[in-house]
Amino acid sequence: MKASPIVVLAVAGFLGVLPSQSESCSPLDNVKITFFGYPDNSPPGAGIAWSNCGHSLAGGTGSYDDPITFATATDGDFKVCDVVYLPYLRKYARYEDDCEQCKEDWDSSKEYHIDLWTGSTYSNGGDTQIDCENSLPGGPQTIVRDPAKDLPTDTTPFFSDGICNKKTYEIGEGGDLCTGTGSSTPYHEKEWARTDIVRVGRPLSGSVL
């Protein structure tokens, strides 16, 4: 995947409430973010490698209580069921599936790579959904490991009823990734080119790589 410009990230306490900080919270920079969904899962559908984290199928809204499924390297630094927070999307995500390309990236260069679920649990968005995934804001981003439970969230789906949501958040000076405090800037939308993305996820056999 061609690296998209790095968005300067943090989370704003726009609700006027100071979220509690996780004792072990730690930002992680330069994480490659890609997207997958029903039509380009492997095999197509909403099946996941691990259904013991809270979802029986890929899904999630992005809240702490219902994080979005993400896939990553099975031999990487994340543990199954780990929850992370993506400040630039204001969404929580949970490790519930495997990803072959993520594994290759980790094995070759120890590059962190997570693949975010775009939906739907039960319906195939076809080429329209894949086109949406290819335009979503990916590239190297900052995420938060062991995040607080009450950071600002945006639960708008990435893709729903043919509509592609490309909203991201930029953060003002002085923001704190672990507490969600700082100055907020409005939504903005931007096209992000992905020229060499290869969809990878669970092998057709369902075995873990």
Side-chain angles (χ1 to χ4, degrees):
M1 166 177 180
K2 182 179 291 185
S4 301
I6 297 176
V7 179
V8 179
L9 308 172
V11 181
F14 72 101
L15 296 178
V17 178
L18 299 183
S20 59
Q21 181 174 354
S22 170
E23 292 181 1
S24 56
C25 166
S26 58
L28 180 63
D29 296 327
N30 297 319
V31 178
K32 180 192 286 187
I33 307 296
T34 52
F35 300 86
F36 76 111
Y38 193 110
D40 56 346
N41 195 11
S42 179
I48 51 178
W50 298 282
S51 57
N52 59 325
C53 302
H55 293 143
S56 59
L57 296 170
T61 63
S63 68
Y64 182 85
D65 293 329
D66 188 24
I68 293 170
T69 297
F70 79 82
T72 193
T74 55
D75 58 351
D77 196 38
F78 294 103
K79 296 179 181 179
V80 173
C81 302
D82 273 357
V83 174
V84 302
Y85 179 74
L86 295 98
Y88 83 110
L89 299 172
R90 286 184 177 168
K91 295 183 188 296
Y92 290 90
R94 184 167 57 207
Y95 176 21
E96 298 177 321
D97 203 4
D98 53 31
C99 166
E100 183 179 353
Q101 185 63 54
C102 305
K103 175 177 168 58
E104 292 178 9
D105 292 341
W106 180 259
D107 291 346
S108 64
S109 61
K110 295 297 185 266
E111 179 181 28
Y112 288 90
H113 179 179
I114 68 175
D115 211 13
L116 289 174
W117 179 252
T118 63
S120 158
T121 302
Y122 301 106
S123 62
N124 187 337
D127 290 342
T128 301
Q129 182 171 352
I130 293 174
D131 289 344
C132 172
E133 292 168 7
N134 289 340
S135 69
L136 287 171
Q141 303 288 353
T142 297
I143 69 172
V144 179
R145 305 186 71 170
D146 301 309
K149 299 179 180 181
D150 48 2
L151 296 171
T153 55
D154 179 349
T155 57
T156 307
F158 289 122
F159 181 81
S160 179
D161 297 325
I163 297 173
C164 190
N165 169 35
K166 305 175 188 177
K167 294 176 182 177
T168 59
Y169 290 88
E170 291 182 335
I171 300 306
E173 184 177 354
D176 186 300
L177 286 164
C178 288
T179 63
T181 59
S183 58
S184 175
T185 59
Y187 281 126
H188 72 283
E189 295 188 8
K190 186 174 183 179
E191 294 289 339
W192 299 75
R194 302 201 305 165
T195 59
D196 60 350
I197 181 64
V198 177
R199 168 64 202 131
V200 289
R202 295 190 305 124
L204 291 175
S205 65
S207 61
V208 176
L209 295 173

